[in-house]
Amino acid sequence: IAGPMLRMVRATPVSGAVETISASKLLPSATATAGRKANASAPPPAPASHVAPLPPAESGTFRVVTWNILGQVYAKSQWFTHSPRPCLKQARRWAQIHELVRVMNPDVMLLQEVDNFGDVHEPAFRDLGFDALYLQRPNGKHDGCCVAYRREKFEIVDDDNAVLKVDLNEIALSKQSKDDVERFTRDNVALAVRLRVRAMPTKEAVFATTHLFWDPAMADVKLAQARSVADTVLKVHSNAPLIVFGADLNSTLDSDVVAEFHQRSFVDSYAAVRDSSTCENKFVTNVTPDFTEAIDHLYLRGHGARVEHVLELPHATHPDVSGGLPNWLWPS
């Protein structure tokens, strides 16, 4: 279990260069921690609730966030021994998550490890101007995937396939042995929603998210899940002009899982920023003492859409993430 940081991208149908927005702008209090670990025992000043949100996306563009918010059911001190205990408390974490949503001011959110949806997150998102769809994992799991969209900007397309729910346990149905059935039954899901721009009813896009199985020793399971979810979304939405896919793939950039998306013409929205990062100073989405890597991905597939800005994530050695996540600044 890990707590990846968020990724944000603003896409536009007009060609443009990739530019970055610093993550530190989202949490001004981060500057107060200079020279000190963000997971030190004494907390830095909490982000002020009156911090102005980022300006709305310009006309003809939309801002998308993909984020594993770390389900509260997993935010346990025995799994996050590096995190100060108060940083794992649900009231603090939930308030931070909702405050970051307000400050980021996205148009669409693609979220993973969402639990307590109906009683905590859905009401908060609604108050922030979002309608949200949720798919909980099966077999008693407490978390799931969520697609939330700004209701004043988007509406769900009137189509039987507008909302696609994928149970990746179906992969196990094709297996012959009991061991393989158990091996591929991992209770992972995917959710895709086809949205229409209210101001331009002819403009549509599919927004999809998933969270693949975590265990690196079971790479074949993750690979089968990646193929299944990508192929299912492409089959159901074969005529979609644009697909935006934000996911916690639990897979690094050089993995076969990531290659599967590239082979299906999904374009990495962070490619230009990644190419400019040095090996010694690369940005990451997962930071723990045992594992620090980029395992969360945001893809575009379609014609006429380009990445205009991205959220510049902290590098592995940045003081804001030093020591691992969650910390005083980041809830996951």
Side-chain angles (χ1 to χ4, degrees):
I1 305 297
M5 293 190 64
L6 54 89
R7 286 189 172 192
M8 180 171 65
V9 62
R10 191 170 80 191
T12 175
V14 180
S15 298
V18 174
E19 301 179 30
T20 60
I21 303 170
S22 173
S24 63
K25 292 182 179 179
L26 301 182
L27 291 174
S29 65
T31 58
T33 67
R36 167 173 68 171
K37 287 187 176 181
N39 67 345
S41 58
S49 60
H50 62 268
V51 172
L54 293 175
E58 298 171 3
S59 177
T61 69
F62 55 89
R63 183 178 296 149
V64 182
V65 167
T66 184
W67 188 8
N68 180 325
I69 67 172
L70 178 59
Q72 191 59 34
V73 69
Y74 306 124
K76 308 299 182 184
S77 57
Q78 63 264 36
W79 293 329
F80 293 92
T81 57
H82 58 277
S83 297
R85 285 178 178 266
C87 297
L88 302 176
K89 298 296 184 181
Q90 63 184 30
R92 178 185 177 90
R93 293 191 62 252
W94 289 340
Q96 283 183 305
I97 290 167
H98 302 152
E99 174 64 5
L100 276 167
V101 170
R102 185 189 70 84
V103 174
M104 289 186 295
N105 197 15
D107 297 306
V108 179
M109 296 188 292
L110 307 172
L111 307 176
Q112 309 89 41
E113 276 195 28
V114 180
D115 56 8
N116 297 277
F117 175 75
D119 57 341
V120 175
H121 296 300
E122 195 276 336
F125 294 161
R126 185 172 61 246
D127 290 345
L128 290 166
F130 295 90
D131 285 341
L133 293 94
Y134 178 66
L135 180 59
Q136 189 165 333
R137 299 169 64 200
N139 296 326
K141 300 299 190 294
H142 294 281
D143 63 304
C145 292
C146 173
V147 175
Y149 58 93
R150 195 166 292 282
R151 71 176 69 93
E152 67 178 15
K153 192 162 189 174
F154 291 101
E155 62 182 352
I156 298 178
V157 172
D158 185 14
D159 185 276
D160 291 341
N161 294 321
V163 178
L164 173 63
K165 299 179 179 181
V166 182
D167 182 353
L168 292 173
N169 282 348
E170 293 183 3
I171 297 171
L173 299 179
S174 64
K175 305 302 177 182
Q176 301 300 316
S177 71
K178 180 180 177 181
D179 287 345
D180 278 347
V181 170
E182 292 178 353
R183 181 179 178 84
F184 284 86
T185 302
R186 294 297 159 184
D187 301 330
N188 297 92
V189 297
L191 178 63
V193 183
R194 188 159 182 158
L195 299 177
R196 174 186 295 120
V197 180
R198 288 185 181 274
M200 297 179 288
T202 61
K203 300 293 185 181
E204 299 179 1
V206 173
F207 296 90
T209 185
T210 192
H211 185 189
L212 301 188
F213 188 53
W214 66 272
D215 193 344
M218 300 177 71
D220 59 324
V221 173
K222 281 190 284 190
L223 186 60
Q225 290 180 336
R227 289 170 175 165
S228 177
V229 69
D231 287 343
T232 301
V233 171
L234 290 175
K235 179 179 179 180
V236 173
H237 296 291
S238 59
N239 64 341
L242 174 65
I243 298 175
V244 182
F245 208 128
D248 180 348
L249 299 180
N250 272 313
S251 302
T252 56
L253 295 167
D254 58 352
S255 67
D256 291 338
V257 167
V258 168
E260 289 293 325
F261 282 87
H262 292 167
Q263 290 168 13
R264 289 161 175 78
S265 300
F266 284 97
V267 177
D268 182 356
S269 63
Y270 271 69
V273 179
R274 180 177 298 113
D275 290 345
S276 66
S277 299
T278 65
C279 293
E280 296 77 17
N281 202 30
K282 65 180 181 180
F283 67 81
V284 294
T285 67
N286 188 94
V287 185
T288 66
D290 297 326
F291 184 75
T292 298
E293 265 292 354
I295 59 173
D296 304 83
H297 307 270
L298 187 55
Y299 296 116
L300 301 179
R301 187 184 191 275
H303 302 287
R306 297 288 298 274
V307 175
E308 187 172 279
H309 298 273
V310 297
L311 177 70
E312 184 179 15
L313 300 175
H315 298 290
T317 57
H318 196 284
D320 283 4
V321 299
S322 179
L325 301 176
N327 61 26
W328 295 109
L329 295 176
W330 299 100
S332 74

Short mmCIF file of all heavy atoms in Angstrom, two decimals, residues 124-174:
data_model
loop_
_atom_site.label_atom_id
_atom_site.label_comp_id
_atom_site.label_asym_id
_atom_site.label_seq_id
_atom_site.Cartn_x
_atom_site.Cartn_y
_atom_site.Cartn_z
N ALA A 124 -18.89 16.54 0.07
CA ALA A 124 -17.87 17.59 -0.06
C ALA A 124 -17.67 17.98 -1.51
O ALA A 124 -17.57 19.18 -1.85
CB ALA A 124 -16.55 17.12 0.55
N PHE A 125 -17.62 17.00 -2.41
CA PHE A 125 -17.47 17.30 -3.82
C PHE A 125 -18.69 18.08 -4.34
O PHE A 125 -18.54 19.02 -5.14
CB PHE A 125 -17.30 16.01 -4.63
CG PHE A 125 -16.04 15.26 -4.34
CD1 PHE A 125 -15.91 13.91 -4.68
CD2 PHE A 125 -14.95 15.88 -3.73
CE1 PHE A 125 -14.75 13.21 -4.42
CE2 PHE A 125 -13.78 15.18 -3.46
CZ PHE A 125 -13.68 13.84 -3.81
N ARG A 126 -19.86 17.69 -3.90
CA ARG A 126 -21.08 18.38 -4.33
C ARG A 126 -21.04 19.85 -3.92
O ARG A 126 -21.37 20.75 -4.70
CB ARG A 126 -22.30 17.68 -3.74
CG ARG A 126 -23.62 18.28 -4.23
CD ARG A 126 -24.81 17.44 -3.79
NE ARG A 126 -24.92 17.36 -2.33
CZ ARG A 126 -24.76 16.26 -1.62
NH1 ARG A 126 -24.49 15.11 -2.24
NH2 ARG A 126 -24.89 16.26 -0.31
N ASP A 127 -20.59 20.11 -2.71
CA ASP A 127 -20.49 21.50 -2.24
C ASP A 127 -19.46 22.29 -3.03
O ASP A 127 -19.55 23.51 -3.13
CB ASP A 127 -20.12 21.53 -0.76
CG ASP A 127 -21.26 21.04 0.15
OD1 ASP A 127 -22.41 20.97 -0.35
OD2 ASP A 127 -20.99 20.75 1.32
N LEU A 128 -18.47 21.59 -3.59
CA LEU A 128 -17.44 22.24 -4.39
C LEU A 128 -17.83 22.36 -5.86
O LEU A 128 -17.03 22.84 -6.67
CB LEU A 128 -16.12 21.47 -4.26
CG LEU A 128 -15.43 21.57 -2.90
CD1 LEU A 128 -14.33 20.52 -2.78
CD2 LEU A 128 -14.85 22.97 -2.69
N GLY A 129 -19.03 21.92 -6.21
CA GLY A 129 -19.53 22.10 -7.57
C GLY A 129 -19.43 20.89 -8.47
O GLY A 129 -19.59 21.01 -9.69
N PHE A 130 -19.21 19.70 -7.88
CA PHE A 130 -19.02 18.50 -8.68
C PHE A 130 -20.19 17.53 -8.53
O PHE A 130 -20.77 17.39 -7.45
CB PHE A 130 -17.75 17.75 -8.25
CG PHE A 130 -16.47 18.49 -8.51
CD1 PHE A 130 -15.95 19.35 -7.54
CD2 PHE A 130 -15.80 18.36 -9.71
CE1 PHE A 130 -14.77 20.04 -7.76
CE2 PHE A 130 -14.62 19.04 -9.94
CZ PHE A 130 -14.11 19.89 -8.96
N ASP A 131 -20.52 16.87 -9.61
CA ASP A 131 -21.29 15.63 -9.57
C ASP A 131 -20.28 14.49 -9.67
O ASP A 131 -19.23 14.63 -10.32
CB ASP A 131 -22.29 15.55 -10.71
CG ASP A 131 -23.49 16.47 -10.49
OD1 ASP A 131 -23.72 16.87 -9.33
OD2 ASP A 131 -24.18 16.79 -11.48
N ALA A 132 -20.58 13.38 -9.03
CA ALA A 132 -19.59 12.31 -8.97
C ALA A 132 -20.24 10.95 -9.14
O ALA A 132 -21.36 10.71 -8.66
CB ALA A 132 -18.84 12.35 -7.64
N LEU A 133 -19.53 10.05 -9.83
CA LEU A 133 -19.92 8.65 -9.96
C LEU A 133 -18.86 7.81 -9.28
O LEU A 133 -17.67 8.14 -9.31
CB LEU A 133 -20.07 8.25 -11.43
CG LEU A 133 -21.23 8.93 -12.17
CD1 LEU A 133 -20.72 10.18 -12.88
CD2 LEU A 133 -21.84 7.97 -13.16
N TYR A 134 -19.32 6.70 -8.71
CA TYR A 134 -18.43 5.90 -7.87
C TYR A 134 -18.66 4.42 -8.15
O TYR A 134 -19.79 3.98 -8.34
CB TYR A 134 -18.72 6.21 -6.40
CG TYR A 134 -17.91 5.42 -5.40
CD1 TYR A 134 -16.54 5.59 -5.30
CD2 TYR A 134 -18.53 4.53 -4.52
CE1 TYR A 134 -15.79 4.89 -4.37
CE2 TYR A 134 -17.79 3.82 -3.58
CZ TYR A 134 -16.43 4.01 -3.50
OH TYR A 134 -15.69 3.32 -2.59
N LEU A 135 -17.58 3.67 -8.16
CA LEU A 135 -17.64 2.22 -8.31
C LEU A 135 -16.81 1.59 -7.21
O LEU A 135 -15.58 1.70 -7.20
CB LEU A 135 -17.14 1.78 -9.68
CG LEU A 135 -17.15 0.27 -9.94
CD1 LEU A 135 -18.57 -0.29 -9.81
CD2 LEU A 135 -16.58 -0.04 -11.32
N GLN A 136 -17.49 0.95 -6.27
CA GLN A 136 -16.79 0.31 -5.17
C GLN A 136 -16.27 -1.05 -5.59
O GLN A 136 -16.88 -1.76 -6.41
CB GLN A 136 -17.74 0.14 -3.97
CG GLN A 136 -17.05 -0.33 -2.69
CD GLN A 136 -17.93 -0.14 -1.47
OE1 GLN A 136 -18.77 0.74 -1.44
NE2 GLN A 136 -17.72 -0.97 -0.45
N ARG A 137 -15.15 -1.44 -5.04
CA ARG A 137 -14.58 -2.75 -5.31
C ARG A 137 -15.46 -3.83 -4.70
O ARG A 137 -16.11 -3.62 -3.67
CB ARG A 137 -13.16 -2.83 -4.75
CG ARG A 137 -12.19 -1.83 -5.36
CD ARG A 137 -10.89 -1.79 -4.58
NE ARG A 137 -10.20 -3.07 -4.67
CZ ARG A 137 -9.25 -3.45 -3.80
NH1 ARG A 137 -8.91 -2.66 -2.79
NH2 ARG A 137 -8.65 -4.61 -3.95
N PRO A 138 -15.49 -5.01 -5.31
CA PRO A 138 -16.38 -6.08 -4.82
C PRO A 138 -15.80 -6.84 -3.63
O PRO A 138 -14.68 -6.57 -3.19
CB PRO A 138 -16.52 -6.99 -6.05
CG PRO A 138 -15.22 -6.82 -6.77
CD PRO A 138 -14.82 -5.38 -6.57
N ASN A 139 -16.60 -7.79 -3.16
CA ASN A 139 -16.18 -8.74 -2.12
C ASN A 139 -15.75 -8.06 -0.82
O ASN A 139 -14.75 -8.44 -0.19
CB ASN A 139 -15.06 -9.65 -2.64
CG ASN A 139 -15.51 -10.52 -3.79
OD1 ASN A 139 -16.66 -10.96 -3.83
ND2 ASN A 139 -14.63 -10.77 -4.75
N GLY A 140 -16.54 -7.06 -0.44
CA GLY A 140 -16.33 -6.46 0.87
C GLY A 140 -15.23 -5.43 0.96
O GLY A 140 -14.93 -4.92 2.06
N LYS A 141 -14.59 -5.08 -0.16
CA LYS A 141 -13.58 -4.04 -0.12
C LYS A 141 -14.25 -2.68 0.13
O LYS A 141 -15.35 -2.43 -0.34
CB LYS A 141 -12.79 -4.00 -1.43
CG LYS A 141 -12.06 -5.31 -1.76
CD LYS A 141 -11.04 -5.67 -0.69
CE LYS A 141 -10.14 -6.83 -1.13
NZ LYS A 141 -10.91 -8.09 -1.28
N HIS A 142 -13.57 -1.81 0.83
CA HIS A 142 -14.19 -0.56 1.27
C HIS A 142 -13.95 0.61 0.32
O HIS A 142 -14.61 1.65 0.43
CB HIS A 142 -13.67 -0.18 2.66
CG HIS A 142 -14.06 -1.14 3.74
ND1 HIS A 142 -15.32 -1.14 4.31
CD2 HIS A 142 -13.38 -2.16 4.31
CE1 HIS A 142 -15.39 -2.10 5.22
NE2 HIS A 142 -14.22 -2.74 5.24
N ASP A 143 -13.01 0.47 -0.60
CA ASP A 143 -12.66 1.60 -1.47
C ASP A 143 -13.03 1.31 -2.91
O ASP A 143 -13.47 0.21 -3.26
CB ASP A 143 -11.18 1.92 -1.36
CG ASP A 143 -10.31 0.76 -1.84
OD1 ASP A 143 -10.48 -0.35 -1.31
OD2 ASP A 143 -9.47 0.96 -2.75
N GLY A 144 -12.86 2.32 -3.76
CA GLY A 144 -13.17 2.15 -5.17
C GLY A 144 -12.69 3.34 -5.98
O GLY A 144 -11.88 4.15 -5.50
N CYS A 145 -13.17 3.44 -7.20
CA CYS A 145 -12.77 4.50 -8.13
C CYS A 145 -13.91 5.51 -8.30
O CYS A 145 -15.09 5.16 -8.21
CB CYS A 145 -12.41 3.91 -9.49
SG CYS A 145 -10.91 2.90 -9.47
N CYS A 146 -13.54 6.74 -8.57
CA CYS A 146 -14.51 7.82 -8.69
C CYS A 146 -14.15 8.73 -9.86
O CYS A 146 -12.98 9.04 -10.07
CB CYS A 146 -14.54 8.63 -7.39
SG CYS A 146 -15.55 10.15 -7.43
N VAL A 147 -15.17 9.11 -10.62
CA VAL A 147 -15.03 10.16 -11.63
C VAL A 147 -15.96 11.29 -11.20
O VAL A 147 -17.17 11.10 -11.08
CB VAL A 147 -15.42 9.66 -13.04
CG1 VAL A 147 -15.37 10.83 -14.03
CG2 VAL A 147 -14.49 8.54 -13.49
N ALA A 148 -15.38 12.44 -10.94
CA ALA A 148 -16.16 13.62 -10.53
C ALA A 148 -15.94 14.72 -11.56
O ALA A 148 -14.82 14.95 -12.01
CB ALA A 148 -15.73 14.09 -9.14
N TYR A 149 -17.02 15.41 -11.92
CA TYR A 149 -16.92 16.45 -12.95
C TYR A 149 -17.69 17.68 -12.52
O TYR A 149 -18.70 17.61 -11.81
CB TYR A 149 -17.45 15.92 -14.29
CG TYR A 149 -18.88 15.43 -14.24
CD1 TYR A 149 -19.94 16.28 -14.56
CD2 TYR A 149 -19.19 14.12 -13.86
CE1 TYR A 149 -21.25 15.84 -14.51
CE2 TYR A 149 -20.50 13.68 -13.80
CZ TYR A 149 -21.52 14.54 -14.13
OH TYR A 149 -22.82 14.12 -14.06
N ARG A 150 -17.20 18.82 -12.95
CA ARG A 150 -17.83 20.09 -12.59
C ARG A 150 -19.16 20.21 -13.34
O ARG A 150 -19.19 20.24 -14.56
CB ARG A 150 -16.90 21.25 -12.90
CG ARG A 150 -17.30 22.55 -12.24
CD ARG A 150 -16.19 23.58 -12.29
NE ARG A 150 -15.05 23.21 -11.47
CZ ARG A 150 -15.00 23.33 -10.15
NH1 ARG A 150 -16.07 23.80 -9.49
NH2 ARG A 150 -13.92 22.98 -9.48
N ARG A 151 -20.24 20.28 -12.56
CA ARG A 151 -21.58 20.17 -13.16
C ARG A 151 -21.94 21.36 -14.04
O ARG A 151 -22.72 21.22 -14.97
CB ARG A 151 -22.64 19.98 -12.06
CG ARG A 151 -22.92 21.18 -11.21
CD ARG A 151 -24.04 20.92 -10.23
NE ARG A 151 -23.63 19.97 -9.20
CZ ARG A 151 -23.13 20.35 -8.03
NH1 ARG A 151 -22.95 21.62 -7.75
NH2 ARG A 151 -22.79 19.46 -7.13
N GLU A 152 -21.34 22.51 -13.79
CA GLU A 152 -21.66 23.67 -14.62
C GLU A 152 -20.98 23.60 -15.98
O GLU A 152 -21.37 24.30 -16.90
CB GLU A 152 -21.26 24.96 -13.91
CG GLU A 152 -19.77 25.15 -13.74
CD GLU A 152 -19.40 26.46 -13.07
OE1 GLU A 152 -20.28 27.11 -12.47
OE2 GLU A 152 -18.21 26.84 -13.14
N LYS A 153 -19.99 22.71 -16.11
CA LYS A 153 -19.23 22.63 -17.35
C LYS A 153 -19.57 21.37 -18.16
O LYS A 153 -19.54 21.40 -19.39
CB LYS A 153 -17.74 22.66 -17.05
CG LYS A 153 -16.85 22.86 -18.28
CD LYS A 153 -15.46 23.32 -17.88
CE LYS A 153 -14.64 23.72 -19.09
NZ LYS A 153 -13.33 24.30 -18.71
N PHE A 154 -19.88 20.26 -17.47
CA PHE A 154 -20.10 18.98 -18.15
C PHE A 154 -21.44 18.37 -17.76
O PHE A 154 -21.99 18.66 -16.70
CB PHE A 154 -19.00 17.99 -17.79
CG PHE A 154 -17.64 18.31 -18.33
CD1 PHE A 154 -16.68 18.89 -17.51
CD2 PHE A 154 -17.30 18.02 -19.65
CE1 PHE A 154 -15.42 19.18 -17.99
CE2 PHE A 154 -16.05 18.31 -20.14
CZ PHE A 154 -15.10 18.89 -19.31
N GLU A 155 -21.92 17.49 -18.64
CA GLU A 155 -23.06 16.64 -18.34
C GLU A 155 -22.81 15.28 -18.96
O GLU A 155 -22.07 15.15 -19.95
CB GLU A 155 -24.36 17.25 -18.87
CG GLU A 155 -24.40 17.42 -20.37
CD GLU A 155 -25.68 18.08 -20.85
OE1 GLU A 155 -26.59 18.25 -20.02
OE2 GLU A 155 -25.76 18.42 -22.05
N ILE A 156 -23.43 14.25 -18.40
CA ILE A 156 -23.27 12.91 -18.94
C ILE A 156 -24.04 12.78 -20.25
O ILE A 156 -25.18 13.24 -20.36
CB ILE A 156 -23.77 11.85 -17.93
CG1 ILE A 156 -22.94 11.93 -16.64
CG2 ILE A 156 -23.67 10.45 -18.52
CD1 ILE A 156 -23.39 10.96 -15.58
N VAL A 157 -23.41 12.18 -21.23
CA VAL A 157 -24.05 11.97 -22.52
C VAL A 157 -25.23 11.02 -22.35
O VAL A 157 -25.18 10.06 -21.57
CB VAL A 157 -23.03 11.38 -23.52
CG1 VAL A 157 -23.71 10.95 -24.81
CG2 VAL A 157 -21.92 12.39 -23.81
N ASP A 158 -26.31 11.29 -23.05
CA ASP A 158 -27.51 10.45 -22.99
C ASP A 158 -27.32 9.23 -23.88
O ASP A 158 -27.69 9.21 -25.06
CB ASP A 158 -28.74 11.26 -23.44
CG ASP A 158 -30.03 10.48 -23.27
OD1 ASP A 158 -30.00 9.44 -22.57
OD2 ASP A 158 -31.06 10.91 -23.84
N ASP A 159 -26.71 8.21 -23.28
CA ASP A 159 -26.39 6.99 -24.03
C ASP A 159 -26.31 5.84 -23.04
O ASP A 159 -25.85 6.01 -21.91
CB ASP A 159 -25.05 7.15 -24.76
CG ASP A 159 -24.73 5.97 -25.65
OD1 ASP A 159 -24.19 4.98 -25.12
OD2 ASP A 159 -25.03 6.02 -26.85
N ASP A 160 -26.74 4.66 -23.46
CA ASP A 160 -26.73 3.50 -22.57
C ASP A 160 -25.34 3.15 -22.09
O ASP A 160 -25.17 2.57 -21.00
CB ASP A 160 -27.35 2.29 -23.27
CG ASP A 160 -28.85 2.45 -23.49
OD1 ASP A 160 -29.46 3.30 -22.80
OD2 ASP A 160 -29.40 1.73 -24.35
N ASN A 161 -24.32 3.46 -22.89
CA ASN A 161 -22.94 3.13 -22.54
C ASN A 161 -22.17 4.31 -21.98
O ASN A 161 -20.93 4.24 -21.90
CB ASN A 161 -22.22 2.57 -23.76
CG ASN A 161 -22.77 1.23 -24.20
OD1 ASN A 161 -23.12 0.39 -23.38
ND2 ASN A 161 -22.88 1.03 -25.52
N ALA A 162 -22.87 5.37 -21.62
CA ALA A 162 -22.17 6.57 -21.16
C ALA A 162 -21.37 6.29 -19.89
O ALA A 162 -20.30 6.87 -19.68
CB ALA A 162 -23.17 7.69 -20.92
N VAL A 163 -21.89 5.42 -19.04
CA VAL A 163 -21.18 5.05 -17.82
C VAL A 163 -20.77 3.59 -17.92
O VAL A 163 -21.62 2.71 -18.02
CB VAL A 163 -22.06 5.27 -16.57
CG1 VAL A 163 -21.30 4.84 -15.31
CG2 VAL A 163 -22.47 6.74 -16.45
N LEU A 164 -19.48 3.34 -17.93
CA LEU A 164 -18.94 2.00 -18.08
C LEU A 164 -18.30 1.56 -16.77
O LEU A 164 -17.39 2.22 -16.25
CB LEU A 164 -17.90 1.97 -19.19
CG LEU A 164 -17.10 0.67 -19.37
CD1 LEU A 164 -18.02 -0.48 -19.75
CD2 LEU A 164 -16.01 0.86 -20.42
N LYS A 165 -18.77 0.43 -16.23
CA LYS A 165 -18.22 -0.12 -15.00
C LYS A 165 -17.58 -1.46 -15.32
O LYS A 165 -18.22 -2.34 -15.89
CB LYS A 165 -19.32 -0.28 -13.95
CG LYS A 165 -19.99 1.04 -13.57
CD LYS A 165 -21.09 0.83 -12.54
CE LYS A 165 -21.73 2.17 -12.15
NZ LYS A 165 -22.81 1.98 -11.14
N VAL A 166 -16.32 -1.60 -14.94
CA VAL A 166 -15.55 -2.79 -15.29
C VAL A 166 -15.11 -3.51 -14.02
O VAL A 166 -14.42 -2.91 -13.17
CB VAL A 166 -14.31 -2.43 -16.14
CG1 VAL A 166 -13.55 -3.71 -16.53
CG2 VAL A 166 -14.72 -1.63 -17.38
N ASP A 167 -15.50 -4.76 -13.89
CA ASP A 167 -15.05 -5.62 -12.80
C ASP A 167 -13.93 -6.50 -13.33
O ASP A 167 -14.16 -7.40 -14.14
CB ASP A 167 -16.22 -6.47 -12.30
CG ASP A 167 -15.84 -7.37 -11.13
OD1 ASP A 167 -14.64 -7.43 -10.79
OD2 ASP A 167 -16.73 -8.04 -10.57
N LEU A 168 -12.71 -6.22 -12.90
CA LEU A 168 -11.56 -6.95 -13.43
C LEU A 168 -11.46 -8.37 -12.91
O LEU A 168 -10.59 -9.14 -13.36
CB LEU A 168 -10.28 -6.17 -13.14
CG LEU A 168 -10.18 -4.85 -13.94
CD1 LEU A 168 -8.99 -4.03 -13.48
CD2 LEU A 168 -10.09 -5.13 -15.43
N ASN A 169 -12.34 -8.75 -11.99
CA ASN A 169 -12.40 -10.16 -11.59
C ASN A 169 -12.88 -11.04 -12.73
O ASN A 169 -12.70 -12.27 -12.70
CB ASN A 169 -13.34 -10.34 -10.40
CG ASN A 169 -12.70 -9.92 -9.09
OD1 ASN A 169 -11.49 -9.70 -9.02
ND2 ASN A 169 -13.50 -9.79 -8.05
N GLU A 170 -13.50 -10.44 -13.75
CA GLU A 170 -13.98 -11.22 -14.88
C GLU A 170 -12.84 -11.90 -15.64
O GLU A 170 -13.06 -12.88 -16.37
CB GLU A 170 -14.79 -10.33 -15.82
CG GLU A 170 -16.09 -9.83 -15.20
CD GLU A 170 -16.92 -9.01 -16.16
OE1 GLU A 170 -16.49 -8.88 -17.33
OE2 GLU A 170 -17.97 -8.50 -15.75
N ILE A 171 -11.63 -11.40 -15.46
CA ILE A 171 -10.47 -12.05 -16.07
C ILE A 171 -10.35 -13.48 -15.57
O ILE A 171 -9.98 -14.40 -16.32
CB ILE A 171 -9.18 -11.25 -15.76
CG1 ILE A 171 -9.26 -9.85 -16.36
CG2 ILE A 171 -7.94 -11.98 -16.27
CD1 ILE A 171 -8.13 -8.94 -15.91
N ALA A 172 -10.69 -13.69 -14.30
CA ALA A 172 -10.55 -15.01 -13.70
C ALA A 172 -11.50 -16.03 -14.29
O ALA A 172 -11.27 -17.25 -14.19
CB ALA A 172 -10.77 -14.92 -12.19
N LEU A 173 -12.58 -15.57 -14.94
CA LEU A 173 -13.57 -16.49 -15.50
C LEU A 173 -13.00 -17.34 -16.62
O LEU A 173 -13.52 -18.42 -16.91
CB LEU A 173 -14.78 -15.70 -15.99
CG LEU A 173 -15.55 -14.90 -14.92
CD1 LEU A 173 -16.70 -14.14 -15.56
CD2 LEU A 173 -16.05 -15.80 -13.81
N SER A 174 -11.95 -16.83 -17.25
CA SER A 174 -11.35 -17.57 -18.36
C SER A 174 -10.27 -18.55 -17.91
O SER A 174 -9.70 -19.28 -18.74
CB SER A 174 -10.74 -16.60 -19.37
OG SER A 174 -9.67 -15.87 -18.78
#
